[in-house]
Amino acid sequence: MLQYENDFIWNKDVNITALMDDVYQKLVTEKESKIAGYYTLGEDSLPLVDHVLENSQTNRYIQQSDTIVVIGIGGSSLGTKAIYSVFKHRYKNAKRMLFLENPDEIDLYEKLASIEKEKTIFIVVSKSGSTIETISIFKEIISRFYLNYEQQDRERIIAITDFDSLLYKFAQYYKIKVYTIPDNVGGRFSVLSAVGVVPLTLAGYDMKSLLSGAATMANSFFEKKENHLLEKAVFLTSHQKEYPMNVVFSYANCLEDFTKWYVQLWGESLGKINKNAQHVGLTPIGHIGSVDQHSFLQLIIEGPRDKTVTFIKLENFEKNIKIPNISLKFIEKADYINGYTFNELIDGECEATKESIIQQGINVDEITLDRLNEKNIGKLIMYYELLTSLCGKIFNIDTYNQPGVELGKQILLKKFN
């Protein structure tokens, strides 16, 4: 279960109800016209889970593996990595997952040194099929591990890409297993497609429950039962000039990669030139509580009043570790927390931080997960994807393209030619 609350201070001239109704209808139209296909992935991807499980039963390389290597960057890896980071502590018998994203030679060297070819499945993920970082790392893997992709090693390689992309053609030519991403699902919205479903299912994670959670959120929204999403989108966009930054404080270490996924989703989708030739967007800032509140909170409280703050809080960590009833000489002032659990401590810090921010007149909202399970994370993923689309509609932009990123790719191409 997810719970939501906010302490927004509205401008009086914002017609909240009219904007909410208008943007809701725009998303309904977008869904029905299939401009964006992520809305139904919670249901559409269920048969894919069964297909992957069936294939794994007949592939001896998968049966013998203990590691899944995901080669991808941005939307091809961030969502998958976020889910893995949330649940890896619970899945003791799952296969290890390794993410090769950045062409950082130090990081790449260390990760490649930990790979044992005979126990590894390599999954190369690129929506376009030609992402330069991904294909370059894939080439290094082929060279380093003498990966014979033309014959016996083809069964330890999986490609995930758009239908008929260059990577798709490569995989088809060499009879490598390939899964496709729906044409109307952008990379940063693709975690609930083959991009996330295939590697996480192969690793042993319960993707059906996660997809079920995502479907529940999407269906509930389109049944008009999630008006808090509409309200939040209207508030953030209508107050963009006053509060151009949204800070997310996730109060659980395992949500760090989820927070990074949010940063990409928010930044790449909403930072655009709109149809009125205006530069629009909301700058995403991701932090982990209580660690980062010891640095960034000062800026929020006494710095420029140009931010909204979202708290993501976990109600039950399910470990029940108590702070020992020990009094340390000279440090007795810390004894007030003795006997409480660490869960109670981090929850108290979250609430105290939120209250201190509200007292300063800063706009705050909170998402509470009652516990860390697949359905809740599926709901949370769909929550942020829906929120992104809503904001994009109000901004009057194409939420799903990324011309700014493409410009950088064109410049890089010229540098090496």
Side-chain angles (χ1 to χ4, degrees):
M1 183 176 68
L2 269 64
Q3 296 177 329
Y4 317 93
E5 61 180 67
N6 69 66
D7 287 274
F8 294 150
I9 304 168
W10 291 83
N11 285 342
K12 293 179 181 179
D13 59 350
V14 177
N15 191 334
I16 303 168
T17 304
L19 276 170
M20 285 172 61
D21 289 342
D22 179 62
V23 71
Y24 171 77
Q25 288 302 326
K26 285 179 178 177
L27 245 66
V28 170
T29 300
E30 187 171 270
K31 175 177 179 284
E32 291 175 348
S33 62
K34 298 185 178 179
I35 292 172
Y38 78 86
Y39 298 117
T40 58
L41 284 177
E43 296 164 348
D44 296 345
S45 293
L46 285 172
L48 179 60
V49 176
D50 292 327
H51 179 81
V52 172
L53 291 172
E54 288 169 11
N55 182 59
S56 68
Q57 295 301 314
T58 58
N59 185 323
R60 65 184 178 91
Y61 293 94
I62 294 175
Q63 292 291 308
Q64 295 167 2
S65 69
D66 62 14
T67 299
I68 303 291
V69 169
V70 177
I71 311 153
I73 196 168
S76 295
S77 66
L78 281 173
T80 307
K81 190 176 181 181
I83 295 168
Y84 168 70
S85 296
V86 169
F87 295 115
K88 63 182 180 182
H89 71 283
R90 290 179 52 187
Y91 284 78
K92 301 303 182 185
N93 296 320
K95 299 181 192 295
R96 176 179 71 133
M97 296 189 75
L98 199 60
F99 295 85
L100 304 182
E101 303 163 287
N102 197 13
D104 173 326
E105 290 188 350
I106 296 173
D107 180 71
L108 199 56
Y109 181 86
E110 290 181 355
K111 287 179 177 177
L112 291 174
S114 74
I115 294 172
E116 190 176 343
K117 172 187 167 182
E118 301 305 320
K119 294 183 178 180
T120 302
I121 297 296
F122 299 94
I123 304 180
V124 55
V125 188
S126 168
K127 183 169 172 62
S128 69
S130 57
T131 308
I132 194 65
E133 299 93 341
T134 300
I135 300 305
S136 298
I137 293 172
F138 184 42
K139 288 178 180 178
E140 171 60 16
I141 285 172
I142 290 170
S143 174
R144 180 177 293 253
F145 298 107
Y146 305 103
L147 213 57
N148 188 348
Y149 56 86
E150 298 183 35
Q151 295 181 24
Q152 67 267 25
D153 284 333
R154 66 165 64 107
E155 289 195 60
R156 67 172 73 255
I157 304 170
I158 294 171
I160 301 173
T161 186
D162 274 356
F163 174 76
D164 216 29
S165 74
L166 297 176
L167 178 58
Y168 180 90
K169 291 174 181 176
F170 168 84
Q172 288 286 92
Y173 185 84
Y174 291 107
K175 297 180 172 61
I176 292 168
K177 184 70 177 175
V178 59
Y179 292 94
T180 57
I181 305 164
D183 290 341
N184 60 351
V185 174
R188 56 191 174 275
F189 288 83
S190 66
V191 63
L192 302 176
S193 73
V195 169
V197 169
V198 172
L200 288 160
T201 299
L202 285 177
Y205 291 82
D206 179 9
M207 288 304 291
K208 282 194 173 182
S209 292
L210 191 136
L211 290 169
S212 173
T216 298
M217 174 59 76
N219 292 335
S220 182
F221 172 80
F222 285 108
E223 290 166 5
K224 226 166 183 185
K225 296 177 181 176
E226 304 291 343
N227 282 347
H228 57 89
L229 263 169
L230 295 165
E231 186 178 339
K232 183 172 178 177
V234 169
F235 179 84
L236 292 176
T237 51
S238 61
H239 294 78
Q240 178 222 351
K241 291 183 179 179
E242 299 162 83
Y243 315 117
M245 293 177 244
N246 176 239
V247 182
V248 168
F249 264 111
S250 296
Y251 273 75
N253 278 13
C254 65
L255 291 172
E256 183 172 4
D257 285 319
F258 176 87
T259 307
K260 290 178 180 177
W261 171 81
Y262 142 78
V263 168
Q264 190 220 6
L265 178 71
W266 206 241
E268 197 168 23
S269 298
L270 300 181
K272 304 283 172 66
I273 299 173
N274 71 9
K275 293 172 184 177
N276 298 319
Q278 299 168 316
H279 291 268
V280 299
L282 290 161
T283 301
I285 301 170
H287 285 304
I288 294 296
S290 64
V291 176
D292 293 326
Q293 73 187 41
H294 286 269
S295 55
F296 203 81
L297 182 59
Q298 175 63 37
L299 178 63
I300 294 172
I301 296 289
E302 295 191 351
R305 297 304 170 88
D306 54 2
K307 305 167 193 68
T308 60
V309 183
T310 300
F311 290 87
I312 302 179
K313 170 182 154 185
L314 179 58
E315 201 169 72
N316 186 358
F317 283 79
E318 302 178 54
K319 296 300 180 185
N320 200 37
I321 304 174
K322 287 191 175 182
I323 298 162
N325 191 21
I326 297 173
S327 185
L328 302 174
K329 191 173 180 60
F330 303 116
I331 320 176
E332 293 88 353
K333 64 182 293 184
D335 290 353
Y336 70 91
I337 202 72
N338 286 2
Y340 288 93
T341 65
F342 281 95
N343 194 151
E344 290 170 316
L345 172 58
I346 197 169
D347 182 58
E349 288 183 310
C350 177
E351 290 304 311
T353 302
K354 185 178 76 169
E355 186 177 330
S356 70
I357 292 173
I358 291 171
Q359 285 181 8
Q360 302 303 312
I362 295 167
N363 292 285
V364 166
D365 71 299
E366 181 177 283
I367 305 167
T368 302
L369 291 73
D370 62 339
R371 60 186 63 250
L372 214 54
N373 60 32
E374 289 79 3
K375 286 191 175 181
N376 277 346
I377 295 302
K379 287 179 182 178
L380 192 60
I381 287 169
M382 185 56 68
Y383 169 96
Y384 266 101
E385 290 182 339
L386 288 166
L387 181 62
T388 302
S389 290
L390 288 167
C391 290
K393 284 298 178 189
I394 300 172
F395 277 146
N396 199 21
I397 59 172
D398 182 345
T399 309
Y400 309 109
N401 68 358
Q402 52 278 330
V405 177
E406 297 306 319
L407 176 60
K409 291 179 182 179
Q410 293 166 16
I411 295 171
L412 177 66
L413 182 61
K414 289 179 182 177
K415 285 184 178 290
F416 287 92
N417 278 289

